[in-house]
Amino acid sequence: MSFCSFFGGEVFKDHFQPGIYVCAKCGHELFSSRAKYEHSSPWPAFTETLHGDSVAKREERPGALKVTCGKCGNGLGHEFLNDGPKRGQSRF
């Protein structure tokens, strides 16, 4: 699945069916639907990754990490620190 859709509605933003979200490029498991929540951003929002190696992260700026697929390096967006639904949680 591709997270960013800049030229139209993101088809997975309002999709809340049970399942696993995978990398659009290689199929690596990234997020569970159990970690998905409604957010005002135009993209799907998750509180945590499915596995410890689901994604790779590097600091892009204070409070925001650049996130890529842990297997193939496909760009997935960002992890925003302390911006999740509960205090101290991140938002992917």
Side-chain angles (χ1 to χ4, degrees):
M1 128 180 188
S2 174
F3 287 138
C4 297
S5 178
F6 296 105
F7 301 110
E10 169 55 61
V11 297
F12 291 104
K13 179 186 184 316
D14 297 318
H15 178 84
F16 287 93
Q17 297 297 317
I20 303 297
Y21 291 79
V22 301
C23 175
K25 188 173 180 181
C26 74
H28 189 58
E29 293 183 339
L30 303 171
F31 303 99
S32 167
S33 60
R34 291 184 305 248
K36 191 171 188 298
Y37 68 100
E38 289 191 54
H39 189 269
S40 61
S41 76
W43 302 284
F46 302 89
T47 56
E48 62 188 5
T49 61
L50 189 60
H51 306 291
D53 67 348
S54 290
V55 302
K57 309 173 194 179
R58 68 172 170 77
E59 186 172 18
E60 186 171 75
R61 64 182 185 271
L65 307 175
K66 186 71 174 168
V67 178
T68 58
C69 173
K71 183 175 181 182
C72 73
N74 186 33
L76 302 174
H78 294 85
E79 176 182 0
F80 297 99
L81 307 176
N82 300 310
D83 191 40
K86 295 179 184 172
R87 186 181 180 110
Q89 280 186 322
S90 289
R91 172 174 58 93
F92 289 87

